[in-house]
Amino acid sequence: PTIAIWDDHDYGADDAGSEYPAKAESKQLFLRFWQEPDGSPRWTREGNYTSYMYGPEGKRVQIILPDLRWFRSWLRDSGTWPQDRGPYLPNPDPGATMLGEAQWQWLEAELRRPAEIRILGMSTQLLADFPGYEAWANFPLERQRLFDLIRDTEARGVIVISGDTHYAELSRLADASVPYPLVDLTSSGLTEVWSFLAPNRNRVGRGFLRENFGTIGIDWAADPLITLEARGMSGRTLFRHQVPLSELQPRR
């Protein structure tokens, strides 16, 4: 089975957000291509977000795919293109949003559903601290709202995956802003590459600039172990990061 959420070039324009005028038409084409079942709420509600649940009780894996395009506010553009990063700046406006209020309410309900492991599939990076490209870091209040929501719902087992950057890296954040150490496996792209890695103080080890894809493995032992990998086009492992599920529990 193949499931999907869009990013900007599926959505319809480079770095586009809520202002894109043909987003409704794009959604219809996207859902038709990915053979979304008739009756799915994705066909009729605003936005393209969805979730899935796999596995029996005790081994439930929830996959949550937020829509980071439909509702997202305008990016704050510096008007310059630094040599080591993109042109975007953090937007401190309390009214700026990544998800929109209806999607925030949906996400809270999803995080309250029983599951052992939750994979948040983000089209752009959550934990990269300031790449200057599209990322949650451009909306710091919204980013902290997500961290707080994970804490407030006591959602255990959250793992983040992301794309968009045209390179692979693993980010980890373990400070007081998060309810427990969070990791973000970024893999992209299968056809597009980039010439340099943007700054990211949360990067673990090295990043990779050639074509790549990501994998997630779960060993349901006494303390389940989650293995995150980036692999090259030959299937060779570029890097591996393992997280015991016991580490992904809210702090008391």
Side-chain angles (χ1 to χ4, degrees):
T2 305
I3 60 177
I5 189 63
W6 57 21
D7 197 34
D8 50 349
H9 296 285
D10 317 290
Y11 184 59
D14 189 43
D15 295 356
S18 61
E19 75 285 352
Y20 181 60
K23 58 188 180 183
E25 293 85 351
S26 289
K27 189 177 78 166
Q28 296 296 308
L29 292 168
F30 180 94
L31 296 179
R32 193 178 309 143
F33 179 86
W34 291 105
Q35 301 177 32
E36 186 73 10
D38 294 340
S40 165
R42 295 176 92 181
W43 287 104
T44 55
R45 69 185 172 200
E46 294 285 299
N48 195 14
Y49 51 92
T50 191
S51 70
Y52 304 85
M53 189 75 75
Y54 299 99
E57 186 174 352
K59 298 181 179 180
R60 291 166 296 194
V61 178
Q62 182 187 30
I63 299 178
I64 303 174
L65 301 178
D67 181 347
L68 306 189
R69 295 290 163 187
W70 190 282
F71 304 98
R72 198 213 68 208
S73 299
W74 285 85
L75 293 166
R76 184 182 173 209
D77 196 328
S78 69
T80 63
W81 196 282
Q83 290 185 341
D84 67 338
R85 69 189 71 203
Y88 301 130
L89 300 172
N91 185 345
D93 182 358
T97 188
M98 282 287 279
L99 300 184
E101 200 55 40
Q103 188 176 190
W104 274 115
Q105 294 176 16
W106 168 85
L107 180 58
E108 178 176 354
E110 289 296 319
L111 290 173
R112 293 189 184 279
R113 295 176 64 189
E116 281 65 53
I117 295 173
R118 307 169 195 273
I119 299 170
L120 272 176
M122 305 287 197
S123 59
T124 59
Q125 293 181 297
L126 177 65
L127 300 185
D129 67 332
F130 181 47
Y133 301 108
E134 290 191 291
W136 279 79
N138 296 328
F139 297 91
L141 299 180
E142 289 283 272
R143 185 173 182 252
Q144 188 58 52
R145 181 175 179 177
L146 179 55
F147 296 159
D148 292 344
L149 185 62
I150 295 171
R151 177 184 289 109
D152 294 344
T153 57
E154 298 185 347
R156 302 172 296 170
V158 172
I159 291 285
V160 180
I161 59 174
S162 59
D164 185 64
T165 61
H166 307 302
Y167 53 77
E169 65 179 354
L170 192 288
S171 303
R172 183 177 186 271
L173 183 63
D175 64 20
S177 68
V178 293
Y180 48 80
L182 293 179
V183 294
D184 181 352
L185 172 64
T186 301
S187 61
S188 54
L190 285 172
T191 60
E192 301 293 328
V193 298
W194 204 243
S195 58
F196 61 90
L197 295 170
N200 179 10
R201 290 176 297 180
N202 297 326
R203 182 182 298 126
V204 177
R206 299 172 53 205
F208 291 87
L209 295 170
R210 300 304 304 170
E211 296 90 343
N212 65 86
F213 62 96
T215 69
I216 305 172
I218 303 171
D219 179 358
W220 293 103
D223 184 0
L225 187 66
I226 304 164
T227 300
L228 306 172
E229 292 185 336
R231 299 187 182 185
M233 294 299 285
S234 68
R236 180 177 66 89
T237 297
L238 303 174
F239 62 76
R240 175 184 292 122
H241 186 83
Q242 294 185 308
V243 185
L245 185 56
S246 59
E247 290 186 1
L248 305 178
Q249 310 297 324
R251 301 183 183 102
R252 298 296 181 182

